[in-house]
Amino acid sequence: MSADYIMVGGFLGAGKTTAMLRLAEHLTERGRRVGLITNDQSHGLVDTSLVAAHGYPVQEITGGCFCCRFNSLTEAADRLTRDGRPDVFLAEPVGSCTDLRATVQYPLSRLYGHDYRIAPLSVLVDPVRARRIFGLEPGRTFSPKVLYVYAKQLEEADLIIINKSDLLTSDQQRTLEKVLHDRYLQAEVFTVSARTGANLDTWFGRLAAAELAPRRAMDVDYDVYAEGEALLGWLNATIRIAASAPFDGNRFLHRLATGVHAQLAADGLEIAHLKMTLAPSEGNDLAALNLVRTDGEPELSHRLEEAVTEGELILNLRAEGDPNRLDAVVRETLRDTSRQVDAVTTFEHSEYFRPARPNPTHRMATLGAD
Ligand SMILES: Nc1nc2c(ncn2[C@@H]2O[C@H](COP(=O)(O)OP(=O)(O)O)[C@@H](O)[C@H]2O)c(=O)[nH]1
Ligand SMILES: [Mg+2]
């Protein structure tokens, strides 16, 4: 029996997790059994806790991207199969990762073609970020080597999905579609909103119907790719919070994010994605907060219904800058924020680093034998 393997790529903060949850819902409604696979350089992922909170079976691949931990990708699928026999796997690669066609999709198809049908590669785009990068409007962006990775992600896409259409005027949407269309001739371009659901069915329909295009994979300069990724600072922390009395967890997350945001902005660092969840020790309630640009605003996408006294905070931060600085800012702001609610915080896990050079397990430039 062969299961579908669907990968949804795109830069940090583009909306991959949000869109995958929508896709999981869409497929479940049609009688499919889905299993999700999240991925990061290190463990303690907001994405995994969010997906699990929605009730989907999920496996987390940590310690490197899919391409560098290729075997763990099939092992994760096997573990999901043991538990719930999914007939479709949805996999979200790390947002700073590229060359997925040659290092993940072609090897999966060539080595495990009997087990999996590999869907076309979708690459999601945050339109505000993209309009700046492509010079359609002024505003901060990343340095050139990070942008090399960004452009490579789009170059290998079968489907380019402009997400967050709810943030665009029709004129902004049209001009961005035209730029992407003209530059990336190999791809079909769709515009959707994972938040409102607008036009998602068109994309999902195309995913189900289209085949992974068998063209030769793009060339990638792994030195520039590695340097671009290593310009990004990465921080994952899991923190226990215990207060003397119930406090407003939504407000707590918002204050913490606002404090971290203000300091990183003062340093002139570009934030790619700050995301946090706060889960009370009891019950299934969850608050989630995201910030996807230094000149954006922190946004609560899930709110806690009730006040919280004890809980677990997961914080993932990716920004162009020194990881030591990210850690110092997070710790200092957390100290101040928890003092305001008279809470004690304990770091259960904390790692901050620059991603290591990508070193793929396989690299196959073609879908058939070379
Ligand atoms: N306005 C808007 N925000 C969105 C949409 N889709 C995702 N987001 C938000 O973008 C942020 C990053 O989303 P996430 O799915 O975590 O991105 P990922 O890093 O690519 O997985 C979150 O605040 C989401 O709520 C959308 O269609 N419209
Ligand atoms: Mg994600």
Side-chain angles (χ1 to χ4, degrees):
M1 200 195 73
S2 125
D4 287 348
Y5 219 113
I6 303 180
M7 275 212 298
V8 178
F11 203 72
L12 302 156
K16 299 179 290 295
T17 307
T18 313
M20 288 220 313
L21 283 168
R22 286 288 198 155
L23 178 56
E25 193 183 344
H26 171 94
L27 293 166
T28 306
E29 281 166 10
R30 281 155 187 77
R32 306 290 302 271
R33 290 185 307 276
V34 297
L36 284 91
I37 302 175
T38 57
N39 180 215
D40 194 52
Q41 313 283 3
S42 153
H43 60 282
L45 299 190
V46 164
D47 288 357
T48 310
S49 85
L50 265 176
V51 169
H54 282 82
Y56 294 108
V58 56
Q59 286 283 324
E60 183 177 278
I61 298 181
T62 59
C65 52
F66 287 152
C67 48
C68 308
R69 311 218 45 221
F70 181 82
N71 294 331
S72 63
L73 196 57
T74 50
E75 285 157 19
D78 288 346
R79 279 196 301 276
L80 285 166
T81 300
R82 240 172 308 181
D83 296 342
R85 296 176 37 83
D87 53 25
V88 48
F89 297 100
L90 307 183
E92 175 183 344
V94 181
S96 61
C97 216
T98 187
D99 207 21
L100 297 164
R101 182 178 284 277
T103 62
V104 181
Q105 290 190 301
Y106 288 175
L108 267 181
S109 178
R110 282 171 58 171
L111 305 173
Y112 296 93
H114 290 299
D115 299 333
Y116 308 121
R117 172 195 164 264
I118 314 298
L121 179 60
S122 301
V123 175
L124 253 70
V125 169
D126 175 312
V128 180
R129 172 82 68 207
R131 286 183 54 80
R132 290 170 184 196
I133 288 176
F134 293 109
L136 296 171
E137 61 190 51
R140 299 177 55 100
T141 178
F142 298 108
S143 56
K145 285 177 180 166
V146 179
L147 294 179
Y148 175 81
V149 180
Y150 186 93
K152 281 287 164 189
Q153 291 182 339
L154 292 167
E155 189 183 331
E156 66 172 338
D158 293 308
L159 311 176
I160 292 179
I161 313 299
I162 301 171
N163 187 27
K164 314 192 187 183
S165 63
D166 53 290
L167 301 178
L168 296 174
T169 64
S170 53
D171 188 51
Q172 288 171 331
Q173 177 176 328
R174 218 173 20 250
T175 47
L176 181 58
E177 281 171 349
K178 178 161 176 19
V179 165
L180 292 171
H181 206 268
D182 291 351
R183 278 188 191 234
Y184 302 105
L185 296 172
Q186 87 292 349
E188 290 179 69
V189 179
F190 296 91
T191 303
V192 307
S193 169
R195 179 166 291 176
T196 67
N199 210 28
L200 284 177
D201 281 353
T202 316
W203 169 32
F204 296 162
R206 198 72 196 111
L207 258 186
E211 295 286 328
L212 175 66
R215 64 170 169 275
R216 192 175 177 80
M218 65 187 180
D219 293 329
V220 177
D221 182 333
Y222 267 73
D223 292 334
V224 183
Y225 174 16
E227 287 169 38
E229 257 200 308
L231 287 170
L232 298 167
W234 222 260
L235 180 144
N236 284 2
T238 304
I239 300 144
R240 280 229 76 74
I241 301 183
S244 51
F247 63 94
D248 182 338
N250 302 317
R251 205 152 137 211
F252 178 87
L253 278 193
H254 201 268
R255 277 198 183 146
L256 179 58
T258 306
V260 170
H261 182 195
Q263 290 209 51
L264 297 182
D267 287 359
L269 297 190
E270 182 57 13
I271 296 167
H273 201 172
L274 166 65
K275 47 186 167 171
M276 306 184 210
T277 52
L278 177 61
S281 309
E282 316 232 312
N284 295 322
D285 214 2
L286 186 81
L289 177 141
N290 285 268
L291 171 68
V292 293
R293 295 192 305 281
T294 296
D295 67 2
E297 291 299 327
E299 243 182 33
L300 276 160
S301 56
H302 294 64
R303 292 179 155 270
L304 287 168
E305 304 267 331
E306 288 174 17
V308 51
T309 311
E310 280 189 38
E312 182 180 74
L313 168 70
I314 303 180
L315 190 152
N316 298 162
L317 172 58
R318 291 87 178 86
E320 184 172 352
D322 181 358
N324 293 298
R325 178 68 187 146
L326 303 185
D327 177 62
V329 165
V330 165
R331 282 182 189 262
E332 186 190 324
T333 316
L334 183 65
R335 208 165 33 239
D336 293 347
T337 315
S338 39
R339 200 175 292 139
Q340 287 170 2
V341 296
D342 196 22
V344 177
T345 54
T346 318
F347 278 76
E348 292 182 337
H349 161 243
S350 165
E351 272 180 276
Y352 47 99
F353 55 88
R354 296 180 184 278
R357 184 187 174 90
N359 184 17
T361 315
H362 302 283
R363 188 170 197 285
M364 301 179 180
T366 59
L367 184 54
D370 283 315

